């Protein structure tokens, strides 16, 4: 048999070698295509996807170049006249007003509740249940079919800690509107919630103008709003904010710092002393 005829015959081993070569060539071609595709996806938008992938695995210091140092240039210091660059009120020396501190009387809860008694002799109702107490006061104004009214509800715990102070105002008789609002303002003063004159003026201004608001003032969260079911009725809610830090202590972190608002303000602790009594001449 001629040698040419023998060369044309392929054995099973030759066929397997040919198949493996075809698979290797196809795999290499597929790997090159996938590598080019991945490189393109990672390199678009100045390598945004690549940087995101590196940060995902916390490999910034190994796979990302170090950020260049900022270029600093120190110029000669120039003194500028402050009057041209700052508001005048910021440059005034001294205080605009004197600081006023109010010292509330040491009264029990039932004595403070009795202070809500009005000039006409309408007395409040004080009840106690365990460590909790409640003070209720209701007064009507005018002789209309549906008279204007004011309802006060104060709740607290022993010994005299107020947890909520609520006033409900019903302006069903517009002729008595001024009387109701004035009595509501006097009730907050008679009960003796400790407030600075600025805060008390703020509450009086909102009540007198029937202006709805929701504010955090001093150590109180205050809300004055109109009822949804009846536009003639208003609610004033004052919630004292608990003091969690004493004088000289470091403030503790809130339990949920992401959801709790934080208000930075200077706090000072002063020892209030009674005024010396004048001595009588002997």
């Amino acid at each position: 048999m001629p040698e040419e005829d023998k060369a044309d015959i392929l054995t099973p081993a030759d066929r397997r070698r040919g198949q493996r070569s075809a698979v290797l060539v196809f795999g290499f071609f597929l790997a090159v295509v996938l590598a080019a595709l991945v490189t393109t996806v990672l390199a678009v938008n100045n390598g945004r996807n690549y940087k995101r992938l590196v940060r995902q695995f916390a490999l910034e210091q190994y796979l990302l170049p170090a950020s260049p140092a900022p270029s600093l240039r120190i110029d000669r210091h120039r003194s500028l006249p402050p009057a041209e660059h700052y508001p005048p009120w910021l440059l005034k020396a001294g205080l605009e007003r004197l600081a006023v501190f109010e010292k509330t009387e040491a009264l029990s809860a039932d004595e403070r509740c009795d202070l809500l008694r009005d000039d006409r002799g309408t007395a409040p109702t004080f009840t106690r249940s365990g460590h909790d107490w409640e003070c209720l006061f209701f007064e009507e104004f005018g002789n209309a079919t549906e008279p204007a009214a004011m309802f006060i509800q104060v709740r607290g715990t022993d010994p005299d800690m107020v947890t909520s102070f609520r006033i409900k105002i019903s302006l069903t008789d517009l002729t008595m509107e001024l009387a109701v609002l004035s009595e509501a303002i006097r009730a907050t003063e008679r009960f003796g919630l400790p407030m600075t004159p600025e805060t008390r003026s703020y509450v009086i201004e909102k009540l007198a103008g029937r202006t709805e608001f929701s504010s955090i003032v001093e150590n109180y969260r205050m809300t004055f709003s109109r009822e949804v079911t009846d536009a003639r009725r208003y609610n004033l809610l004052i919630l004292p904010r608990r003091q969690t830090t004493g004088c000289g202590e470091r403030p503790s972190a809130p339990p949920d710092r992401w959801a709790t608002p934080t208000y930075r303000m200077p706090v000072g602790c002063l020892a209030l002393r009674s005024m010396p009594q004048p001595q009588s001449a002997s």
Side-chain angles (χ1 to χ4, degrees):
M1 180 176 291
E3 294 294 334
E4 293 79 2
D5 295 340
K6 292 182 180 180
D8 293 338
I9 299 174
L10 298 177
T11 62
D14 295 334
R15 294 192 186 94
R16 286 195 295 271
R17 282 194 295 269
Q19 291 175 357
R20 284 198 296 269
S21 300
V23 171
L24 291 176
V25 172
F26 177 76
F28 176 76
F29 177 76
L30 181 61
V32 171
V33 172
L34 291 178
L37 181 61
V38 171
T39 303
T40 303
V41 172
L42 295 178
V44 296
N45 295 331
N46 294 327
R48 182 182 63 181
N49 296 329
Y50 172 74
K51 296 176 182 178
R52 184 182 301 173
L53 182 63
V54 171
R55 293 190 181 96
Q56 183 71 24
F57 292 96
L59 299 174
E60 298 93 331
Q61 63 180 14
Y62 304 106
L63 300 179
L64 290 180
S67 56
S71 58
L72 300 177
R73 187 183 65 180
I74 302 176
D75 294 334
R76 187 180 62 181
H77 177 70
R78 294 176 298 175
S79 59
L80 301 176
E84 298 180 2
H85 298 273
Y86 299 97
W89 60 267
L90 190 61
L91 303 176
K92 289 183 179 180
L95 294 174
E96 295 292 333
R97 62 172 177 82
L98 296 177
V100 178
F101 297 89
E102 294 183 349
K103 183 178 180 180
T104 57
E105 298 182 10
L107 300 176
S108 61
D110 52 347
E111 291 175 338
R112 195 172 299 278
C113 178
D114 191 62
L115 294 177
L116 294 177
R117 185 188 304 268
D118 60 1
D119 299 335
R120 295 183 295 178
T122 305
T125 302
F126 181 82
T127 57
R128 187 184 298 273
S129 176
H131 295 285
D132 300 329
W133 55 266
E134 184 180 47
C135 176
L136 303 178
F137 180 74
F138 179 77
E139 184 177 5
E140 291 185 345
F141 300 84
N143 299 320
T145 305
E146 190 176 1
M150 178 187 67
F151 174 72
I152 300 178
Q153 179 190 49
V154 188
R155 291 179 176 177
T157 58
D158 282 340
D160 58 350
M161 186 71 66
V162 177
T163 57
S164 67
F165 185 92
R166 183 190 304 272
I167 297 182
K168 294 186 177 183
I169 301 173
S170 177
L171 302 178
T172 52
D173 185 3
L174 295 181
T175 59
M176 304 301 298
E177 175 181 354
L178 181 59
V180 176
L181 294 176
S182 300
E183 187 61 26
I185 293 171
R186 284 194 294 269
T188 60
E189 297 175 349
R190 290 200 306 268
F191 188 79
L193 286 177
M195 295 182 186
T196 60
E198 291 80 4
T199 301
R200 202 174 298 279
S201 300
Y202 175 77
V203 176
I204 291 174
E205 178 185 355
K206 298 300 182 181
L207 287 177
R210 290 192 294 176
T211 305
E212 299 185 31
F213 72 95
S214 179
S215 305
I216 294 179
V217 185
E218 296 180 25
N219 292 331
Y220 300 99
R221 181 184 297 274
M222 302 181 182
T223 303
F224 182 63
S225 59
R226 179 182 300 178
E227 289 189 1
V228 179
T229 57
D230 194 342
R232 302 172 299 175
R233 306 179 191 276
Y234 292 82
N235 289 318
L236 172 64
L237 178 62
I238 301 178
L239 299 176
R241 306 176 69 209
R242 293 285 174 253
Q243 179 181 349
T244 57
T245 304
C247 295
E249 299 178 0
R250 294 180 59 87
S252 58
D256 187 0
R257 63 175 183 174
W258 302 109
T260 304
T262 303
Y263 303 90
R264 300 182 181 274
M265 62 184 67
V267 177
C269 301
L270 300 180
L272 300 180
R273 294 177 299 179
S274 302
M275 295 298 293
Q277 299 294 333
Q279 297 180 358
S280 57
S282 57

